[in-house]
Amino acid sequence: MKEKIEIQIPGTVYFHLAVSVLLVLLLLSGFMFTEFNSIPVFRSLLVLFLIFVQLTIIIVLLKRILKKYKDIEFMQHKIKVNDTEVSAQEIEKIIISGYFMQSIGIKLYGRKLVPTKLHFKFKNDKEAKIEVLKQWASKNGVSVVYGKFRTWL
């Protein structure tokens, strides 16, 4: 069994990007509209550090959005998401999150978070593609559950 299915980036990434941009704008506006004499040095350094952190997050998210999400490939005892190959023995469970806008996360053994490389959603005809995913999982002894999961960015 070797089947390729098109995938795309989950919608939560766009939400995280919007929130990060708003936080930077909020921090900048608070920093710009106060008198520099009235701000303690520690507080101004903290605000600058937070702006730097948020800008770093924005860069990481933009890099992730601009990266091409191609496909997921189901092989005999492996699954390949874009260029990341994972054997069935490494997968603890496959989690489907959401109802109308479903995203899929492949959780590995020994990890608390779903790796961002293994978080995606299907393009078009999602129900049929989820059935293919469930068939592959049942053949390889991987559980598929509905629930929430966490990723890093």
Side-chain angles (χ1 to χ4, degrees):
M1 175 183 183
K2 196 171 184 180
E3 186 173 347
K4 282 187 176 185
I5 296 176
E6 281 188 275
I7 60 173
Q8 62 189 32
I9 194 165
T12 55
V13 175
Y14 297 107
F15 175 75
H16 287 269
L17 180 65
V19 168
S20 293
V21 168
L22 286 174
L23 279 173
V24 166
L25 292 175
L26 187 71
L27 287 168
L28 281 173
S29 69
F31 193 67
M32 299 296 275
F33 293 118
T34 53
E35 293 181 30
F36 288 109
N37 298 339
S38 66
I39 302 175
V41 175
F42 176 74
R43 193 161 134 200
S44 61
L45 288 176
L46 180 65
V47 169
L48 287 174
F49 175 74
L50 290 174
I51 290 171
F52 174 74
V53 168
Q54 287 301 317
L55 287 174
T56 305
I57 289 172
I58 288 171
I59 290 168
V60 168
L61 289 172
L62 283 174
K63 183 180 171 188
R64 187 164 176 219
I65 288 171
L66 295 174
K67 180 185 167 202
K68 297 291 182 199
Y69 269 64
K70 298 177 240 168
D71 53 24
I72 183 169
E73 187 175 350
F74 299 103
M75 296 177 252
Q76 187 83 22
H77 299 289
K78 287 189 255 182
I79 193 167
K80 185 176 179 182
V81 180
N82 292 325
D83 297 325
T84 306
E85 259 188 42
V86 181
S87 69
Q89 290 80 22
E90 295 176 66
I91 300 173
E92 181 180 338
K93 59 185 169 184
I94 297 173
I95 307 167
I96 301 172
S97 177
Y99 184 74
F100 292 112
M101 296 180 65
Q102 294 177 328
S103 65
I104 291 99
I106 300 174
K107 187 171 182 304
L108 304 176
Y109 280 108
R111 305 282 295 266
K112 291 185 180 188
L113 302 174
V114 171
T116 55
K117 295 178 183 178
L118 302 176
H119 179 213
F120 58 91
K121 70 178 184 177
F122 290 119
K123 279 186 179 178
N124 310 327
D125 196 22
K126 295 171 175 70
E127 292 299 321
K129 293 173 182 175
I130 286 178
E131 284 305 313
V132 172
L133 177 69
K134 286 179 180 179
Q135 288 174 0
W136 179 87
S138 67
K139 286 180 185 175
N140 289 287
V142 176
S143 64
V144 177
V145 297
Y146 286 87
K148 296 182 188 262
F149 57 89
R150 295 179 187 218
T151 68
W152 177 249
L153 295 181

